[in-house]
Amino acid sequence: MAPITVTIKLFAHFRHGRFKEADHQFPPGTACRDVILGLGFRLGEMGIVMVNGQHAPLDHPLSERDTLALFPLVGGG
Amino acid sequence: MDKILRVNMTDLTTRVEETPAEWAGLGGRALTSTIVAKEVPPACHALGPHNKLVFAPGLLSGTAASNSGRLSAGAKSPLTGGIKESNVGGTAAQMFARLGIKALIVEGVPPGEGWYALKVGKDGVTIEEERGLLGLGNFAVIDALQALLGKKTGVIAIGPAGEMKLTSANISVKDPSGKIRSHGRGGLGAVMGSKRIKFIAIDDEGAPGIQIADPEAFKAASCVFTKALMDHPVSGQGLPTYGTNVLVNILHEAGGLPTRNFTHGQFDGHEQICGETMHDTIVARGGKPRHGCHAGCVIQCSQVYHDKEGQYLTSGFEYETIWGLGANCLIKELDDIALADSVMDDLGLDSIETAVAFGVAMEAGILPWGDGKEVVRILREEVGKGTALGRVIGSGAGAVGRTYGVTRVPVVKNQAIPAYDPRSVKGIGITYCTSPMGADHTAGYTIATNILNVGGQVDPLKKEGQVELSRNLQIATAAVDSTGMCIFIAFPALDIPECLPALIGMINARFGAKLTGEDVTGLGKSVLKLERAFNLAAGLTSADDRLPEFFCSDPVSPHQAVWDFTNEEIDAFWDF
């Protein structure tokens, strides 16, 4: 099966030594967890994981043209 | 025993009173709201002689407890027509607490046209006529008072906006750097202006200091509490590094960043104004990415922002201000927003109310969208000089909407809705509707659980669980606002089991009390109900616990979300 293209957005210190936003290709059915580990993160570092602007569980399977946004635990108010 | 200072501006007398037994266990918001509810006729004019302005440090203010230096101010609000509590950092709360001042109550309105200053010290409070500092901005007032009274003097002041009794006027409090923190919301600066008090100077020389009933127990609980603050990723690392402005990109991504006067949920200029960009800009220009609003703050979410020449431009540069002029007014230049922030601080204007007022003004065609230079000009030349247009803008978003016939006016109880769209973050919409303060994100910060995954997860786009979430957070917040604690201690308190017992342990050790978690929850409930009862007696009804109509009819992108709670569902908030 053809690979899927996913836009990955990183925020706060996750950007250090990596990137702000990039398109990556993955095999169909790749989960958020696989992408996170593939980028060298530990799962415990994840504060917010969003797919297309909505919170997603780590085992959420990604689809063609999805946007995956990864935030460390941060906050404000 | 701590004392009550009472100032009567009608006959220009002052006195020191014993603290009534029923007020002994109260502080901060619990005390200001109790005093306002007991002594202010709810139907009175907020700028008339029957309103009272009350200041109270929190229960733990002045102690070594981390993040305990918040000062509450309370009165009937001229903006909402209901009760108001607004709290602030700075140096005043700790000075009041060391002086043994439980509360300062200012009542009455002076005869004649004169202006006054209050001087608070170890022997009580005195009233003096004031002429020299009238009309000056807050920065000049603080500089002049430090030159006259010494660097250590505490200052609580109003700027020209408060002197004009504009309903967006705030009360400024000197911070440890000689700059400004604000009792921002609800127009309390107009109440201080109505009593014709330009400033309150505080001298804590010879103060008796704080008596701790059980110093060993206090120290032990304080260590646990501070460790929880440092260990939690939000209060220990996120807030110190990026400040509150890290939220721009988060809310943009979640589709909850109100843009172009609440027309959209995302802003294409988000990267230019976001916390990450701000952090890099501050570091590159030699500013300070970390800065505390009061001594003893270990979170340090504030910052010092320099201009292109490396000179001080502003501090306490918060997400809500940056959102309000940024996404909401489409201004993409962070330097323009920083300059506007500084001018608002100097004039003594609530930067949330004023930013939202500018969004409504842009919708009305008074100035172009995204024109940060014109915002600064209007602030200086119109609001600062008290022109008719300036007074309309300085009276808040609701006043601008009514004056110019705008229907998209984001207010609840006439107070501007801040930086989180209630259609796509529904829990915060319940807080906006039901808080006795009017639209106030801090009153029950559901963003923690709706968006940030702190204290669990409640889907921001669904209705399920939002009323309970807002209710629990509003009850907890009313209690925390009474301790003198910064609201950001809620992040560790929601996630780290030792945090809240340590906070209660400190209160017990300070006063020799035996409060339980249930007692503290009970305090929060009673404060909310007291405030609600005041509002009902003042003439507000459940019809005031509603979002403006456009939130129900106009979907917000990208999720095409609308506000879809029934009146009955909202009113169920009060079932406790």
Side-chain angles (χ1 to χ4, degrees):
Chain A
M1 284 166 61
I4 56 168
T5 302
V6 173
T7 300
I8 302 171
K9 295 182 181 177
L10 302 179
F11 297 94
H13 65 78
F14 281 0
R15 291 176 171 181
H16 296 168
R18 294 193 183 88
F19 55 88
K20 274 189 198 177
E21 182 174 334
D23 284 354
H24 285 209
Q25 294 200 317
F26 301 101
T30 297
C32 297
R33 175 190 287 105
D34 306 323
V35 178
I36 290 166
L37 294 172
L39 288 167
F41 293 113
R42 287 176 289 106
L43 296 178
E45 291 179 88
M46 287 300 128
I48 309 169
V49 177
M50 285 190 211
V51 175
N52 303 330
Q54 297 197 43
H55 293 76
L58 291 172
D59 57 6
H60 180 87
L62 293 161
S63 303
E64 173 70 9
R65 303 302 338 166
D66 273 352
T67 297
L68 172 65
L70 304 177
F71 300 84
L73 261 171
V74 287
Chain B
M1 187 65 170
D2 290 345
K3 53 194 181 279
I4 306 288
L5 302 187
R6 192 178 291 271
V7 174
N8 184 326
M9 294 304 294
T10 301
D11 60 13
L12 301 176
T13 59
T14 71
R15 59 180 195 265
V16 180
E17 300 173 356
E18 295 299 313
T19 299
E22 64 268 28
W23 295 355
L26 305 178
R29 175 174 169 184
L31 186 54
T32 63
S33 287
T34 296
I35 294 172
V36 171
K38 179 164 189 284
E39 299 194 1
V40 174
C44 76
H45 196 296
L47 302 180
H50 301 299
N51 200 4
K52 301 190 182 187
L53 180 61
V54 183
F55 296 94
L59 289 167
L60 290 169
S61 300
T63 71
S66 297
N67 289 70
S68 63
R70 305 285 296 185
L71 180 71
S72 288
K76 175 173 176 170
S77 164
L79 184 75
T80 68
I83 199 165
K84 175 58 62 178
E85 185 268 355
S86 174
N87 62 72
V88 72
T91 62
Q94 291 160 335
M95 297 177 91
F96 273 17
R98 283 196 293 270
L99 285 161
I101 298 168
K102 188 87 174 162
L104 168 66
I105 304 172
V106 183
E107 55 195 37
V109 164
E113 299 299 316
W115 279 80
Y116 300 87
L118 304 183
K119 301 274 177 70
V120 174
K122 66 177 169 40
D123 299 320
V125 53
T126 57
I127 305 171
E128 296 178 9
E129 280 195 57
E130 176 57 39
R131 292 192 185 86
L133 300 181
L134 295 182
L136 294 184
N138 282 310
F139 293 115
V141 169
I142 288 175
D143 287 348
L145 290 175
Q146 289 193 143
L148 191 68
L149 303 170
K151 283 277 179 198
K152 288 198 288 186
T153 186
V155 180
I156 300 171
I158 56 170
E163 291 185 44
M164 287 185 262
K165 294 183 276 189
L166 301 181
T167 45
S168 302
N170 64 23
I171 296 176
S172 297
V173 176
K174 194 185 103 171
D175 80 2
S177 309
K179 299 301 183 188
I180 286 173
R181 311 298 303 189
S182 309
H183 290 288
R185 308 227 62 193
L188 293 181
V191 179
M192 190 155 151
S194 75
K195 301 188 180 308
R196 291 212 288 284
I197 295 170
K198 176 66 177 171
F199 67 86
I200 301 167
I202 312 163
D203 174 8
D204 67 355
E205 191 72 29
I210 306 283
Q211 300 300 316
I212 305 280
D214 185 343
E216 287 306 311
F218 188 92
K219 199 173 167 188
S222 174
C223 285
V224 173
F225 182 75
T226 301
K227 184 172 185 307
L229 264 51
M230 302 300 287
D231 283 351
H232 194 274
V234 173
S235 50
Q237 291 130 41
L239 280 167
T241 308
Y242 295 105
T244 58
N245 198 33
V246 75
L247 289 167
V248 164
N249 278 340
I250 300 175
L251 269 298
H252 169 84
E253 197 60 30
L257 184 72
T259 299
R260 201 183 195 276
N261 189 32
F262 288 76
T263 316
H264 311 292
Q266 292 186 313
F267 177 43
D268 64 6
H270 65 101
E271 273 295 329
Q272 284 144 278
I273 61 167
C274 70
E276 290 89 337
T277 299
M278 184 165 110
H279 174 268
D280 295 347
T281 305
I282 288 172
V283 171
R285 292 176 179 178
K288 289 184 189 166
R290 304 172 71 137
H291 181 252
C293 77
H294 64 276
C297 167
V298 298
I299 297 177
Q300 307 260 310
C301 73
S302 180
Q303 62 304 104
V304 177
Y305 186 95
H306 286 180
D307 63 16
K308 287 192 177 87
E309 281 72 48
Q311 299 300 307
Y312 176 93
L313 186 51
T314 197
S315 54
F317 195 26
E318 303 292 345
Y319 164 64
E320 283 73 17
T321 308
I322 295 166
W323 154 78
L325 290 175
N328 197 50
C329 290
L330 306 186
I331 297 171
K332 296 182 178 177
E333 294 79 21
L334 201 49
D335 285 349
D336 287 351
I337 301 173
L339 179 57
D341 184 55
S342 173
V343 175
M344 287 188 282
D345 280 350
D346 201 33
L347 294 174
L349 284 169
D350 174 12
S351 61
I352 296 178
E353 191 67 45
T354 307
V356 177
F358 271 110
V360 177
M362 287 174 179
E363 176 124 8
I366 297 168
L367 72 166
W369 290 103
D371 193 342
K373 308 286 189 290
E374 180 64 4
V375 165
V376 170
R377 188 202 69 78
I378 288 177
L379 285 170
R380 282 178 170 153
E381 302 299 322
E382 309 282 352
V383 185
K385 292 182 179 168
T387 67
L389 171 63
R391 284 172 188 260
V392 171
I393 288 185
S395 297
V400 176
R402 284 189 296 276
T403 308
Y404 288 89
V406 179
T407 54
R408 186 166 35 241
V409 184
V411 297
V412 178
K413 298 178 180 68
N414 199 41
Q415 180 167 291
I417 293 179
Y420 314 86
D421 198 300
R423 289 164 290 192
S424 39
V425 193
K426 293 188 189 294
I428 202 70
I430 296 293
T431 297
Y432 295 156
C433 286
T434 54
S435 170
M437 301 299 144
D440 179 347
H441 61 293
T442 68
Y445 192 65
T446 73
I447 309 307
T449 310
N450 281 154
I451 300 290
L452 303 172
N453 292 345
V454 174
Q457 226 290 311
V458 173
D459 189 332
L461 292 163
K462 296 197 173 116
K463 295 202 305 186
E464 287 72 32
Q466 309 294 1
V467 172
E468 293 75 12
L469 176 65
S470 176
R471 183 193 294 130
N472 290 338
L473 288 172
Q474 288 198 53
I475 290 167
T477 302
V480 169
D481 285 346
S482 305
T483 62
M485 284 289 164
C486 160
I487 191 60
F488 289 157
I489 69 123
F491 291 113
L494 285 165
D495 281 341
I496 298 177
E498 299 79 22
C499 186
L500 212 49
L503 175 59
I504 297 167
M506 289 191 292
I507 297 171
N508 286 338
R510 158 86 165 91
F511 295 99
K514 289 192 168 63
L515 297 177
T516 64
E518 272 182 32
D519 293 330
V520 173
T521 306
L523 174 68
K525 287 179 180 174
S526 68
V527 169
L528 279 178
K529 289 192 167 176
L530 183 77
E531 292 169 344
R532 163 90 165 159
F534 182 94
N535 284 359
L536 295 177
L540 280 74
T541 69
S542 58
D544 296 294
D545 289 358
R546 303 288 180 257
L547 291 184
E549 189 180 26
F550 76 89
F551 286 110
C552 307
S553 56
D554 300 359
V556 67
S557 59
H559 302 302
Q560 304 310 321
V562 292
W563 179 250
D564 49 1
F565 282 86
T566 65
N567 293 343
E568 292 71 26
E569 287 168 338
I570 297 167
D571 294 342
F573 172 89
W574 290 105
D575 295 343
F576 64 90

